[in-house]
Short mmCIF file of all heavy atoms in Angstrom, two decimals:
data_model
loop_
_atom_site.label_atom_id
_atom_site.label_comp_id
_atom_site.label_asym_id
_atom_site.label_seq_id
_atom_site.Cartn_x
_atom_site.Cartn_y
_atom_site.Cartn_z
N ALA A 181 90.38 29.43 -12.31
CA ALA A 181 90.46 29.36 -13.76
C ALA A 181 90.18 30.76 -14.32
O ALA A 181 89.69 31.61 -13.60
CB ALA A 181 89.44 28.37 -14.30
N ASP A 192 98.18 18.02 -6.46
CA ASP A 192 97.87 17.57 -5.10
C ASP A 192 96.36 17.42 -4.91
O ASP A 192 95.90 16.47 -4.27
CB ASP A 192 98.43 18.55 -4.06
CG ASP A 192 99.94 18.35 -3.87
OD1 ASP A 192 100.45 17.29 -4.28
OD2 ASP A 192 100.58 19.26 -3.32
N TYR A 267 68.81 7.79 -19.31
CA TYR A 267 67.60 6.97 -19.35
C TYR A 267 67.08 6.78 -20.77
O TYR A 267 66.40 5.80 -21.07
CB TYR A 267 66.53 7.56 -18.42
CG TYR A 267 67.04 7.68 -17.00
CD1 TYR A 267 66.41 8.49 -16.06
CD2 TYR A 267 68.19 6.98 -16.61
CE1 TYR A 267 66.92 8.60 -14.77
CE2 TYR A 267 68.70 7.09 -15.33
CZ TYR A 267 68.07 7.91 -14.42
OH TYR A 267 68.57 8.02 -13.16
N ALA A 293 75.41 26.69 -13.88
CA ALA A 293 75.82 28.09 -13.77
C ALA A 293 75.48 28.61 -12.38
O ALA A 293 74.31 28.71 -12.03
CB ALA A 293 75.12 28.91 -14.85
N GLN A 310 80.78 11.77 -9.44
CA GLN A 310 80.31 10.53 -10.06
C GLN A 310 78.81 10.54 -9.92
O GLN A 310 78.27 11.05 -8.95
CB GLN A 310 80.96 9.30 -9.44
CG GLN A 310 80.77 9.06 -7.95
CD GLN A 310 79.40 8.65 -7.49
OE1 GLN A 310 78.93 9.06 -6.43
NE2 GLN A 310 78.72 7.85 -8.30
N GLY A 372 79.69 26.70 11.31
CA GLY A 372 78.32 26.50 11.72
C GLY A 372 77.36 26.23 10.58
O GLY A 372 76.15 26.15 10.79
N ILE A 401 54.31 -9.14 -19.39
CA ILE A 401 53.59 -7.88 -19.30
C ILE A 401 54.62 -6.77 -19.23
O ILE A 401 55.58 -6.86 -18.46
CB ILE A 401 52.68 -7.86 -18.05
CG1 ILE A 401 51.58 -8.92 -18.21
CG2 ILE A 401 52.06 -6.46 -17.86
CD1 ILE A 401 50.88 -9.25 -16.92
N ARG A 415 83.12 18.23 -3.68
CA ARG A 415 82.72 18.89 -2.46
C ARG A 415 83.31 18.19 -1.24
O ARG A 415 83.57 18.81 -0.21
CB ARG A 415 81.20 18.77 -2.34
CG ARG A 415 80.55 20.06 -2.19
CD ARG A 415 79.07 19.91 -2.07
NE ARG A 415 78.59 21.25 -2.21
CZ ARG A 415 77.55 21.73 -1.58
NH1 ARG A 415 76.82 20.97 -0.81
NH2 ARG A 415 77.21 22.97 -1.73
N ILE A 444 112.56 15.08 6.62
CA ILE A 444 113.38 16.28 6.56
C ILE A 444 114.75 15.98 7.17
O ILE A 444 114.87 15.79 8.38
CB ILE A 444 112.74 17.44 7.37
CG1 ILE A 444 111.25 17.58 7.07
CG2 ILE A 444 113.52 18.74 7.14
CD1 ILE A 444 110.92 18.30 5.80
N GLU A 501 111.81 13.88 11.15
CA GLU A 501 113.01 14.70 11.15
C GLU A 501 114.19 13.81 11.51
O GLU A 501 114.11 13.02 12.45
CB GLU A 501 112.88 15.83 12.18
CG GLU A 501 111.64 16.70 11.98
CD GLU A 501 111.34 17.58 13.19
OE1 GLU A 501 112.19 17.64 14.11
OE2 GLU A 501 110.25 18.19 13.22
N VAL A 535 103.31 2.81 9.87
CA VAL A 535 102.02 2.30 9.42
C VAL A 535 100.97 2.47 10.50
O VAL A 535 99.87 2.98 10.25
CB VAL A 535 102.13 0.80 9.02
CG1 VAL A 535 100.75 0.20 8.78
CG2 VAL A 535 103.00 0.65 7.78
N MET A 545 91.85 11.87 14.17
CA MET A 545 91.19 12.95 13.43
C MET A 545 89.70 12.70 13.36
O MET A 545 88.89 13.61 13.52
CB MET A 545 91.77 13.05 12.01
CG MET A 545 93.18 13.66 11.98
SD MET A 545 93.93 13.64 10.34
CE MET A 545 92.94 14.88 9.49
N THR A 557 75.75 19.80 18.44
CA THR A 557 74.36 19.50 18.12
C THR A 557 73.50 19.83 19.32
O THR A 557 73.80 19.42 20.43
CB THR A 557 74.22 18.02 17.76
OG1 THR A 557 75.15 17.71 16.72
CG2 THR A 557 72.81 17.70 17.28
N ASN A 583 53.28 20.67 7.92
CA ASN A 583 52.87 21.74 7.01
C ASN A 583 54.13 22.36 6.38
O ASN A 583 54.93 22.97 7.07
CB ASN A 583 52.08 22.80 7.79
CG ASN A 583 51.55 23.90 6.88
OD1 ASN A 583 51.94 23.97 5.70
ND2 ASN A 583 50.69 24.74 7.40
N ILE A 590 60.46 29.26 8.27
CA ILE A 590 61.68 29.19 9.08
C ILE A 590 62.89 29.55 8.22
O ILE A 590 63.76 30.32 8.62
CB ILE A 590 61.85 27.78 9.70
CG1 ILE A 590 60.78 27.54 10.75
CG2 ILE A 590 63.24 27.62 10.29
CD1 ILE A 590 60.71 26.12 11.26
N GLN A 618 50.72 20.18 16.64
CA GLN A 618 51.39 18.93 17.01
C GLN A 618 52.51 18.63 16.00
O GLN A 618 52.34 18.77 14.79
CB GLN A 618 50.37 17.80 17.01
CG GLN A 618 50.90 16.55 17.68
CD GLN A 618 49.94 15.38 17.53
OE1 GLN A 618 48.83 15.52 17.04
NE2 GLN A 618 50.39 14.21 17.95
#
Side-chain angles (χ1 to χ4, degrees):
Chain A
D192 282 343
Y267 303 163
Q310 58 71 218
I401 294 164
R415 236 180 192 215
I444 314 280
E501 304 166 9
V535 170
M545 287 174 71
T557 306
N583 183 350
I590 291 170
Q618 193 187 353

